[in-house]
């Protein structure tokens, strides 16, 4: 499933590239014809599209199998290259579609947003966990890799994600406590005789370590944590990016409440 989605994204990128190159070629040929180059020294209108002066060139993308480091400055014809790659990717996608199980979801479009909200409030099935209705803003909001997951797979992933979140919370306690210890170097120097080497450090360094270093470490931890939680929520089996962001906010609030309130207070 992941390989097919990657091939679809690459084909979409090549299609946009091809459309831009063809449009640019038409504009250049039209400008050449309007300026009279096709009648004097330029090519004829029927062969203008084959002249390299009017055709856009591009470098091979990094994911191309023929890309090499020594070919870094080599360029190819954009239109010809995109047509060949789109044809090859289309064949690969059609082959991979045969090995993909049918999605266990259906999408219904409504003309008015109110109709969509009313449809989501209707009980679709008498058993819980079946035929659940969700609002989707658009196709770009759907996480297509999670659409074909079964209910049991979603439940198991949710349990595993909760366990991992608890482990992250427990592992984050020493880190947050360590940032608090850095702000108490003067107290540690008096409490533990083995740390007398702190007296040899300059006063400006101790002041900076107590005042600036804990804040930087804590800010760095809080900056990296949302990205980790967002990835964890995507693995949970949620179907939309909006649901991922909402779940990430819940996990993030729980982590902040435990670490920055309970741990620091205790």
């Amino acid at each position: 499933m992941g390989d097919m989605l990657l091939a679809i994204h690459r084909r979409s990128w090549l299609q946009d590239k091809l459309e831009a190159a063809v449009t640019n070629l038409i504009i250049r040929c039209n400008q050449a014809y309007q300026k009279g180059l096709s009648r004097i020294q330029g090519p004829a209108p029927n062969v203008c599209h084959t002249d390299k002066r009017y055709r856009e060139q591009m470098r091979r993308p990094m994911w191309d199998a023929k890309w090499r480091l020594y070919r870094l400055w080599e360029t190819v014809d954009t239109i010809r290259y995109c047509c060949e790659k789109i044809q090859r990717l289309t064949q690969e996608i059609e082959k991979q579609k045969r090995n993909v199980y049918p999605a266990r979801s259906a999408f219904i479009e409504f003309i008015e947003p109110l109709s969509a909200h009313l449809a989501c409030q209707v009980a679709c099935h008498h058993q819980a966990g079946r035929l659940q209705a969700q609002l989707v803003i658009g196709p770009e909001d759907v996480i297509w890799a999670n659409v074909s997951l079964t209910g049991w797979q979603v439940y198991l992933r949710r349990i595993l994600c909760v366990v991992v979140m608890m482990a992250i919370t427990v592992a984050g306690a020493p880190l947050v406590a360590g940032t608090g210890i850095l702000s108490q170097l003067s107290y540690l120097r008096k409490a533990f005789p083995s740390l007398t080497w702190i007296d040899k450090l300059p006063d400006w360094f101790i002041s900076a370590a107590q005042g600036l270093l804990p804040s930087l470490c804590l800010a760095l931890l809080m900056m990296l944590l949302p990205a980790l939680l967002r990835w964890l929520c995507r693995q949970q089996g949620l179907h939309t990016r909006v649901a991922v962001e909402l779940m990430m906010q819940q996990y993030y609030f729980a982590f902040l409440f435990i670490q920055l309130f309970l741990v620091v207070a205790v």
Side-chain angles (χ1 to χ4, degrees), residues 40 43 55 118 172 179 185-186 201 218 262:
I40 302 175
R55 298 179 69 89
L118 293 176
T179 58
L185 292 179
S186 301
L201 298 176
L218 192 60
L262 296 181

Side-chain angles (χ1 to χ4, degrees), residues 4-224:
M4 187 178 68
L5 292 177
L6 182 61
I8 291 174
H9 288 309
R10 289 176 177 176
R11 186 179 64 175
S12 178
W13 180 81
L14 289 173
Q15 289 173 349
D16 296 338
K17 195 79 174 178
L18 177 61
E19 181 180 0
V22 172
T23 304
N24 192 16
L25 176 62
I26 295 174
I27 294 175
R28 290 182 178 180
C29 291
N30 184 45
Q31 291 177 352
Y33 179 78
Q34 295 295 334
K35 291 180 180 180
L37 296 178
S38 58
R39 297 191 300 269
I40 302 175
Q41 57 183 0
N46 57 347
V47 296
C48 181
H49 63 279
T50 60
D51 196 323
K52 293 183 178 180
R53 293 181 300 172
Y54 302 97
R55 298 179 69 89
E56 185 178 347
Q57 303 291 320
M58 64 172 290
R59 296 186 179 90
R60 298 179 185 271
M62 297 289 293
W63 48 264
D64 190 359
K66 295 183 179 180
W67 184 89
R68 296 293 185 275
L69 185 61
Y70 60 86
R71 295 181 178 178
L72 184 61
W73 305 108
E74 182 182 358
T75 58
V76 293
D77 186 84
T78 302
I79 298 177
R80 186 176 294 105
Y81 175 82
C82 291
C83 290
E84 294 176 356
K85 290 299 179 181
I86 289 174
Q87 183 179 4
R88 184 179 62 83
L89 289 174
T90 302
Q91 295 176 356
E92 293 181 0
I93 293 171
E94 293 298 329
K95 291 180 180 179
Q96 294 179 6
K97 281 183 178 180
R98 303 171 186 174
N99 302 326
V100 176
Y101 294 100
R104 295 175 174 85
S105 302
F107 296 90
I108 303 175
E109 295 184 359
F110 295 89
I111 300 177
E112 299 179 356
L114 180 61
S115 302
H117 286 278
L118 293 176
C120 288
Q121 297 177 5
V122 176
C124 301
H125 201 275
H126 64 280
Q127 295 182 1
R130 296 189 178 184
L131 292 179
Q132 296 180 352
Q134 297 181 3
L135 283 176
V136 179
I137 299 176
E140 65 280 356
D141 185 52
V142 179
I143 303 177
W144 298 101
N146 297 338
V147 170
S148 59
L149 296 177
T150 62
W152 287 107
Q153 290 176 341
V154 174
Y155 292 150
L156 291 177
R157 288 191 175 202
R158 186 171 301 176
I159 293 174
L160 291 176
C161 289
V162 172
V163 173
V164 173
M165 181 60 196
M166 295 174 61
I168 293 175
T169 305
V170 174
L175 298 177
V176 177
T179 58
I181 292 175
L182 291 176
S183 61
Q184 302 293 332
L185 292 179
S186 301
Y187 172 77
L188 294 176
R189 178 182 54 187
K190 298 177 181 179
F192 299 96
S194 59
L195 298 178
T196 55
W197 55 271
I198 298 179
D199 296 333
K200 300 179 181 179
L201 298 176
D203 295 337
W204 63 269
F205 181 81
I206 296 177
S207 300
Q210 291 180 347
L212 184 61
L213 191 59
S215 301
L216 289 178
C217 294
L218 192 60
L220 182 62
L221 178 62
M222 295 299 104
M223 182 179 63
L224 297 178

